[in-house]
Amino acid sequence: MKKLRYERPIIQRLNVGIMNKFGTKTEYTPVTHIDGNPVKSLIEKFGSPLFVISERTIRQMYKDANRAFKTRYPKVQFAWSYKTNYVNAVCNVFHQEGAWAEVVSGFEYQKALKNGVPGNKIIFNGPDKSGAELKEAVENNSLIHIDHLDELYMIKELASHSKKKPRVAIRVNMDTGVYPIWDRFGFNYEIGQAWDAINKIMLTDAMELVGLHCHIGTFMLSPSAYGIAASKLSDLALHVKKKFKKTIQYIDIGGGFASRNTLKGSYLQGVDLAPSFDAYAEEITTAILNAGFAKEDLPQLILETGRALIDEAGFLLGSVISNKRLSDGRRATILDFGVNVLFTSFWYDHKISPAQEFSQYSEDAVLYGPLCMNIDVVRESISLPPLKRDDHVVVHTVGAYNMTQWMQFISLRPAIVMIDKNDKAHIIRKRETLKSIEAEEVLPAHLKEFKI
Ligand SMILES: *Cc1c(COP(=O)(O)O)cnc(C)c1O
């Protein structure tokens, strides 16, 4: 007979009459494997903590999203949002699936070029584009999405010294019924800024207005907001056609579809709440198809979906450092990852599973990270079976933003592994080293030595 695993006893006060709507325990099964790879051996081989990305899941999510839009609309193009996860291996899975690149900085622009994305398939967004960056984008025929008037005038000036005619779009912000309105990026629709910018572009021959863009927010749980956005952009495109006899080539509806994560404070779980790709696609494509375009003028539909395509493909594996009791009697479990690598724990209650067998007991616990920083709380309250030192946990739905917003504070950032379609694990970003972190530091000669 197999020896039973020791589990320390707990004494717990029972509160009669208080029921958790989701049952007494949030986790019923351990997650011991990811795409055929044992969690334990992944950690042994690549260290803890460790990010793991499932290539199979990325491709599946992309195919689902693509199908939802392509079955409803004739011309659809996805552009991978680099800032959501710009590890090159991840970007290239999306490029292999057919996605263009959507970048929001000169750094990301260079990354996309280096990955081999043709210049004319890079969408250059964001409020901060330098003169040199804009110049390169113009020479490469990239799609430049103008954020403000200073940028518009800068492009106009650049165009006067270039043989190329810049291909531009404007970013439009608007009231879609979701508040607060994101009105700090681009030109507002309701107060006429967008139409004004369009006229400024159309009344010079310096550049070509090829598209109209919006990105109405992040984690938007309301598909109808996208329907409103698509209608307003279509309306602008139709006005351009009417006034200038000019066909707008594309409408870019941005990103922001919700992933299946649970927002803090949400009563329902994210998996039950997040609209499907079909729900978003139905609103967007119906709005454009019904807007009044002539058949030959139907614009291409571009989507810059980020989190909804990658979040579920990402896992964070970690280990327990210690358990302790807080002064109020609550159990606290200290993990080897904190808000430094799991930045999104500031706004999501991630699903967290033990990676080994456990009994039916569970206890409410606070999960802390390893940082010497009071705000390093992975979770204020979670019901988990008792975990002990060196036990492992798997955090789910972490593919978006963590690998770009992570910070290096007091330790080294972990490795990232991608598991391919044949369940083979590849390292796609090595764990940082003291050497790699110090590579950019310079120590002046007079500070090289000291005696203590
Ligand atoms: C961040 C961003 C995206 C991607 O947003 P998600 O919420 O990850 O889908 C797309 N377009 C622009 C302009 C962005 O800034």
Side-chain angles (χ1 to χ4, degrees):
M1 198 185 113
K2 214 177 115 208
K3 194 174 163 226
L4 290 176
R5 200 178 116 93
Y6 172 75
E7 223 170 54
R8 71 185 165 78
I10 334 163
I11 297 172
Q12 202 176 347
R13 181 168 42 181
L14 297 176
N15 288 310
V16 179
I18 299 176
M19 267 305 278
N20 176 344
K21 177 172 174 296
F22 302 107
T24 50
K25 217 161 50 167
T26 51
E27 281 310 312
Y28 294 96
T29 45
V31 173
T32 56
H33 288 68
I34 295 173
D35 284 5
N37 288 252
V39 167
K40 203 159 183 292
S41 42
L42 285 168
I43 285 182
E44 272 161 19
K45 192 157 176 210
F46 302 104
S48 177
L50 177 72
F51 277 108
V52 177
I53 293 173
S54 161
E55 182 182 338
R56 192 186 293 145
T57 306
I58 301 182
R59 293 192 192 269
Q60 190 56 50
M61 296 303 277
Y62 189 88
K63 285 191 173 75
D64 286 354
N66 215 20
R67 177 201 42 76
F69 282 89
K70 286 211 167 136
T71 50
R72 292 176 164 88
Y73 197 79
K75 291 186 273 182
V76 176
Q77 179 62 52
F78 279 83
W80 175 238
S81 157
Y82 265 49
K83 80 170 188 294
T84 310
N85 188 323
Y86 48 55
V87 181
N88 292 335
V90 169
C91 296
N92 280 10
V93 173
F94 284 108
H95 297 321
Q96 283 186 352
E97 291 292 333
W100 294 359
E102 183 270 330
V103 303
V104 291
S105 68
F107 159 75
E108 288 190 345
Y109 186 90
Q110 293 305 325
K111 234 172 178 302
L113 275 185
K114 201 155 156 281
N115 280 338
V117 182
N120 64 352
K121 294 184 174 167
I122 301 178
I123 295 171
F124 199 174
N125 278 319
D128 176 21
K129 311 181 189 83
S130 71
E133 287 160 1
L134 282 172
K135 189 159 183 279
E136 185 175 12
V138 169
E139 296 308 318
N140 289 335
N141 292 317
S142 298
L143 299 162
I144 304 171
H145 288 187
I146 303 175
D147 183 77
H148 46 73
L149 285 176
D150 287 298
E151 189 179 336
L152 195 158
Y153 296 132
M154 218 151 67
I155 297 171
K156 194 171 165 186
E157 169 66 22
L158 273 172
S160 65
H161 305 294
S162 172
K163 287 196 191 70
K164 296 276 171 64
K165 194 165 187 175
R167 298 163 72 215
V168 303
I170 57 161
R171 174 153 173 182
V172 181
N173 68 62
M174 61 186 82
D175 184 350
T176 59
V178 175
Y179 306 101
I181 299 176
W182 271 32
D183 57 3
R184 61 167 284 188
F185 301 109
F187 303 91
N188 184 262
Y189 175 85
E190 284 80 18
I191 66 169
Q193 288 173 339
W195 182 239
D196 174 56
I198 288 171
N199 280 291
K200 284 188 165 68
I201 294 169
M202 294 305 300
L203 294 170
T204 119
D205 278 330
M207 49 192 125
E208 188 190 0
L209 183 69
V210 288
L212 295 169
H213 172 230
C214 68
H215 172 63
I216 57 175
T218 56
F219 213 93
M220 302 288 286
L221 289 164
S222 152
S224 63
Y226 285 95
I228 295 171
S231 295
K232 289 184 174 174
L233 290 190
S234 299
D235 184 54
L236 286 174
L238 289 163
H239 272 81
V240 171
K241 181 74 181 185
K242 191 164 172 217
K243 179 168 174 187
F244 298 101
K245 311 273 173 292
K246 158 90 186 155
T247 307
I248 293 293
Q249 290 170 24
Y250 67 85
I251 282 181
D252 178 345
I253 217 77
F257 299 162
S259 70
R260 289 149 63 109
N261 243 314
T262 306
L263 284 175
K264 279 194 187 302
S266 168
Y267 186 61
L268 293 171
Q269 302 279 300
V271 281
D272 299 325
L273 220 55
S276 61
F277 287 125
D278 286 293
Y280 290 115
E282 184 65 21
E283 288 284 345
I284 294 167
T285 58
T286 305
I288 303 176
L289 288 170
N290 293 349
F293 289 105
K295 193 162 180 237
E296 63 279 10
D297 288 345
L298 208 58
Q300 180 184 36
L301 170 60
I302 296 181
L303 297 137
E304 303 170 345
T305 312
R307 72 187 69 227
L309 287 175
I310 187 71
D311 227 3
E312 257 174 88
F315 301 85
L316 177 60
L317 317 187
S319 308
V320 174
I321 295 173
S322 180
N323 280 290
K324 56 165 69 171
R325 283 282 156 202
L326 299 177
S327 58
D328 63 2
R330 273 182 307 156
R331 184 160 70 99
T333 298
I334 305 166
L335 301 164
D336 64 355
F337 60 86
V339 295
N340 53 335
V341 275
L342 195 63
F343 200 80
T344 54
S345 55
F346 282 128
W347 54 89
Y348 294 139
D349 281 345
H350 290 284
K351 177 180 167 187
I352 302 177
S353 311
Q356 51 281 310
E357 293 295 331
F358 50 85
S359 66
Q360 72 272 30
Y361 299 109
S362 66
E363 190 186 357
D364 192 49
V366 195
L367 299 183
Y368 290 121
L371 307 181
C372 291
M373 206 166 73
N374 207 38
I375 60 160
D376 190 22
V377 184
V378 172
R379 190 70 157 273
E380 292 82 3
S381 168
I382 185 169
S383 182
L384 277 177
L387 297 168
K388 57 182 183 352
R389 185 171 167 87
D390 295 331
D391 275 353
H392 301 309
V393 295
V394 175
V395 189
H396 302 257
T397 328
V398 302
Y401 295 100
N402 289 299
M403 284 157 257
T404 48
Q405 293 188 315
W406 53 1
M407 50 180 168
Q408 187 258 308
F409 185 61
I410 75 167
S411 65
L412 303 165
R413 279 170 287 206
I416 308 175
V417 162
M418 182 181 278
I419 302 178
D420 72 16
K421 289 193 292 186
N422 303 317
D423 293 351
K424 186 172 167 8
H426 304 262
I427 185 124
I428 58 168
R429 192 178 195 273
K430 288 188 271 188
R431 182 168 201 259
E432 287 174 345
T433 60
L434 180 59
K435 195 163 167 235
S436 68
I437 294 299
E438 288 188 342
E440 307 298 334
E441 282 196 39
V442 181
L443 194 61
H446 71 285
L447 297 178
K448 288 210 165 119
E449 277 167 28
F450 55 79
K451 281 201 204 79
I452 298 178

